[in-house]
Amino acid sequence: MLFEIRSVNMRLSEGEVSGVQVVYSARNSDRSSTSNGNFDLTAEEYRGNEAIDRLKEMARDHLVAEAQKPENAE
C-alpha cells in the first residue's frame, strides 16, 4: 500500500505542543483498495517521530491494528 500523510495538526496549550493528530490516506497501486484514517500522538510520542517516513510507518501500523480489531471493539 502507498501511504500519504495528508496533514499533521498540532494542539497547543499555553504556547506548547500538547498533542498531534496525523491524518493519512492509503491506496494500492491500481486504487482498487483505499483507506483514510487518523491517529493521535502525545507531544512526547511525536518528538523524534516528526519525519514523514516515520509518520507513514506509524500510519501503516495504525491501519493494520484497526483492521485486526474485532468488529464491535472500541
Side-chain angles (χ1 to χ4, degrees):
M1 301 271 307
L2 304 170
F3 282 78
E4 181 177 318
I5 300 302
R6 307 294 291 176
S7 65
V8 178
N9 304 305
M10 296 181 189
R11 287 181 295 281
L12 299 175
S13 176
E14 298 180 15
E16 297 291 323
V17 175
S18 62
V20 176
Q21 180 188 49
V22 179
V23 179
Y24 65 88
S25 63
R27 64 177 175 83
N28 63 353
S29 59
D30 67 358
R31 296 180 189 252
S32 63
S33 181
T34 63
S35 182
N36 296 297
N38 67 79
F39 58 94
D40 293 320
L41 298 171
T42 65
E44 293 77 23
E45 290 169 327
Y46 183 65
R47 203 169 294 118
N49 292 308
E50 300 95 338
I52 295 298
D53 285 341
R54 179 63 186 126
L55 294 175
K56 286 180 182 180
E57 290 175 21
M58 295 173 87
R60 183 182 331 270
D61 293 345
H62 177 261
L63 182 59
V64 169
E66 289 297 310
Q68 293 176 340
K69 280 185 180 177
E71 191 171 319
N72 295 326
E74 286 294 316

